[in-house]
Amino acid sequence: MKQKSQLMDEKDIRRALMRISHEIIENNKGVDNLVLIGIKRRGEPIAKTIRQNILKIEEKEVPCESLDINLYRDDLTRVSDMPVVKTKSLCNEVDDKDIILIDDVLFTGRTARAAIEAIFTCGRPRTIQFAVLVDRGHRELPIRADFVGKNVPTSRSEFIEVRLPEYDSETGAFLMSTDD
């Protein structure tokens, strides 16, 4: 895969996540009922950054969990007839809460659908809202993000790669292509 361009650098990402943090607070009229849930992998550190931002802004701790949705995906081979959410604490945090589901890139909507299904196995939230760093289009399901860092129209031969220090040697969002 070939890198075509850098869409966001570290400062751009930091600014986008701060803006998203403010929008989450404003949209929910505070943070008292919020639970942040980062979709593994890169949604986790993004959720933690949003949590830190909210703490700076509101001076309140917000629960922050992670979610592995692999067993809930409809585009992978079935592993089990009865998938299990592995995060016990998540099930204690869901009922009647305003869930902010967080991921790095929104593409077809299948990851978000799988995450929503996983959340409902734990209980019944009051609301589920969706925050993403980059929305690249090409939905296959009726899913949209409530909070978006950057909209980037892409072709099917292009991909968005988010790099974060927890997993990569740099921070940024990059437009990648399979074209030579």
Side-chain angles (χ1 to χ4, degrees):
M1 204 165 329
K2 181 176 102 179
Q3 181 176 314
K4 290 179 77 172
S5 65
Q6 183 169 3
L7 304 169
M8 301 173 84
D9 62 18
E10 185 174 357
K11 286 181 181 179
D12 295 329
I13 290 174
R14 190 170 48 247
R15 280 192 298 269
L17 294 181
M18 183 57 79
R19 180 176 40 77
I20 288 171
S21 302
H22 279 283
E23 289 173 357
I24 288 169
I25 294 165
E26 184 177 336
N27 191 62
N28 289 281
K29 297 176 179 57
V31 297
D32 292 332
N33 202 46
L34 290 185
V35 175
L36 306 176
I37 300 177
I39 299 173
K40 286 190 175 183
R41 275 185 60 185
R42 285 172 176 75
E44 288 177 293
I46 293 171
K48 288 176 184 175
T49 300
I50 291 172
R51 180 185 193 198
Q52 292 168 348
N53 290 345
I54 288 172
L55 179 59
K56 287 177 192 171
I57 299 163
E58 292 288 301
E59 298 179 352
K60 290 185 181 178
E61 290 277 345
V62 175
C64 186
E65 302 290 339
S66 63
L67 180 63
D68 183 351
I69 54 91
N70 282 329
L71 294 177
Y72 293 87
R73 294 193 63 91
D74 65 356
D75 54 353
L76 300 175
T77 305
R78 284 182 67 112
V79 177
S80 169
D81 288 333
M82 295 297 293
V84 177
V85 175
K86 296 177 184 175
T87 308
K88 285 185 179 181
S89 60
L90 178 62
C91 290
N92 297 330
E93 299 285 352
V94 169
D95 282 328
D96 203 35
K97 296 292 184 180
D98 295 308
I99 304 297
I100 309 297
L101 191 58
I102 300 166
D103 205 4
D104 59 343
V105 179
L106 175 56
F107 178 36
T108 63
R110 293 186 181 281
T111 297
R113 186 219 45 90
I116 291 167
E117 187 176 326
I119 289 168
F120 276 116
T121 64
C122 286
R124 190 174 190 284
R126 185 165 72 181
T127 64
I128 298 177
Q129 300 160 60
F130 192 32
V132 296
L133 182 60
V134 180
D135 184 344
R136 64 169 284 199
H138 300 287
R139 235 47 102 242
E140 295 175 2
L141 300 173
I143 301 281
R144 67 163 177 79
D146 300 283
F147 311 102
V148 178
K150 186 173 187 81
N151 287 291
V152 180
T154 62
S155 73
R156 286 279 183 178
S157 66
E158 295 173 321
F159 297 89
I160 304 293
E161 187 174 295
V162 173
R163 299 178 193 155
L164 300 172
E166 291 82 356
Y167 306 109
D168 310 295
S169 61
E170 62 185 317
T171 302
F174 300 87
L175 182 62
M176 310 295 285
S177 177
T178 56
D179 295 337
D180 290 328

